[in-house]
């Protein structure tokens, strides 16, 4: 069955430190891949997406993600985290069925 | 502000009742998507409408139904409510008929509490 795994439920980093959030998917072909961020009490905002082409994708707020076909991964990275990045992050795939499948989310805490 | 509006923001009701959640998409968007976010199930796709027609169905219970009206707003109807239906219900909209190559813009959600 198609699935998305975000193995880290919680991550805590210090402000200014680098960040990597992991996402693995299970699907026969390459799906369409997304990262969304949800701030407390807010809806989801798209950070970046991958459809094809360059496997390193740049997004908003200084985030980037790298698609690795061999590892079925689409990890999100940021070189220097800001306190305002504290939120919940969701990886999602769209395997060509018009249905998004979301991971369980990773809650990011940023220490001052 | 995504431009997607949802009403009400909060809804508290009792088991067995029926409620209607409303969503107004961004101006110009033809697609509306509904999602349920709960602690145990996570974020789950429920249903997608495009220009008034149902386009895709996800894990939507038979007690739930939705429709999209000619003015493109959408309503999600939840009936015979159970405690487990307590969740945050999101609506999202996009310009075209599917999520491919189209960003979905999410509303702030309606928090439903079933007592």
């Amino acid at each position: 069955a198609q699935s998305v795994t975000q193995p880290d439920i919680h991550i805590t980093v210090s402000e200014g430190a680098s960040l990597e959030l992991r996402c693995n998917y299970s699907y026969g072909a390459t799906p369409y891949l997304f990262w969304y961020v949800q701030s407390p009490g807010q809806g989801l905002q798209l950070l970046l997406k991958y459809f094809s082409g360059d496997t390193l994708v740049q997004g908003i707020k200084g985030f980037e993600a790298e698609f690795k076909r061999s590892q079925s991964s689409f990890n999100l990275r940021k070189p220097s985290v800001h306190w305002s990045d504290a939120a919940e992050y969701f990886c999602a795939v769209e395997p060509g069925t018009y249905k998004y499948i979301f991971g369980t989310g990773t809650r990011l805490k940023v220490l001052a | 502000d995504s431009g997607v509006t949802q009403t009400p923001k909060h809804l508290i009701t009792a088991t067995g009742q029926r409620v209607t959640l409303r969503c107004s998409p961004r101006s110009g968007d033809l697609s509306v998507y509904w999602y349920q976010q709960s602690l145990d199930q996570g974020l789950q796709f429920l249903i997608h409408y495009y220009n008034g027609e149902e386009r895709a169905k996800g894990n939507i219970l038979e007690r739930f139904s939705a429709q999209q009206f000619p003015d493109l707003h959408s309503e999600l109807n939840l009936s015979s409510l159970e405690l487990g239906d307590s969740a945050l219900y999101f609506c999202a909209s996009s310009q075209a008929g599917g999520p491919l190559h189209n960003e979905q813009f999410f509303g702030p959600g309606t928090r439903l509490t079933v007592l």
Side-chain angles (χ1 to χ4, degrees), chain A residues 32 34 36 38 41-46 49 51 88 90 94 96-100 102-104, chain B residues 33 35 37 43 45 48 55-58 88 90 97-104 106-108:
Chain A
Y32 299 92
F34 307 83
Y36 280 85
Q38 183 180 25
Q42 303 291 317
L44 280 76
Q45 181 183 23
L46 180 68
K49 59 191 176 188
F51 295 137
E88 189 153 21
F90 292 90
E94 204 282 36
T97 60
Y98 294 96
K99 303 176 189 179
Y100 271 37
F102 282 88
T104 50
Chain B
Y33 309 79
Y35 295 86
Q37 186 178 34
L43 192 60
F45 166 77
H48 168 210
R55 180 62 67 97
K57 249 182 180 177
L88 194 51
F90 284 109
L100 305 182
H101 304 276
N102 284 286
E103 176 179 351
Q104 293 189 20
F106 282 75

Side-chain angles (χ1 to χ4, degrees), chain A residues 3 13 15 20 24 31 43 47 69 71 79 83 86 89 95 105 110 112:
Chain A
S3 65
V13 299
E15 191 170 20
E20 181 167 27
N24 292 94
L47 286 175
R69 185 189 307 273
Q71 298 176 20
W83 64 266
Y89 293 80
V110 180

Side-chain angles (χ1 to χ4, degrees), chain B:
Chain B
D1 185 355
S2 66
V4 178
T5 60
Q6 290 187 248
T7 56
K9 288 187 92 169
H10 302 276
L11 198 48
I12 301 174
T13 188
T15 55
Q17 295 298 305
R18 172 189 170 95
V19 297
T20 297
L21 313 183
R22 182 187 169 102
C23 168
S24 293
R26 291 187 322 152
S27 177
D29 284 358
L30 299 178
S31 274
V32 169
Y33 309 79
W34 285 98
Y35 295 86
Q36 179 194 58
Q37 186 178 34
S38 61
L39 284 175
D40 55 343
Q41 298 285 332
L43 192 60
Q44 299 228 339
F45 166 77
L46 295 178
I47 199 163
H48 168 210
Y49 276 84
Y50 173 71
N51 204 20
E53 294 191 2
E54 182 184 304
R55 180 62 67 97
K57 249 182 180 177
N59 299 321
I60 187 166
L61 300 171
E62 284 192 13
R63 300 184 285 107
F64 296 1
S65 65
Q67 53 184 325
Q68 186 179 27
F69 295 86
D71 66 352
L72 301 176
H73 90 272
S74 177
E75 293 181 356
L76 179 67
N77 300 295
L78 315 176
S79 61
S80 302
L81 285 168
E82 302 175 0
L83 296 178
D85 297 327
S86 295
L88 194 51
Y89 291 85
F90 284 109
C91 165
S93 73
S94 70
Q95 282 189 328
L100 305 182
H101 304 276
N102 284 286
E103 176 179 351
Q104 293 189 20
F105 293 85
F106 282 75
T110 293
R111 182 168 294 284
L112 173 66
T113 303
V114 182
L115 301 176

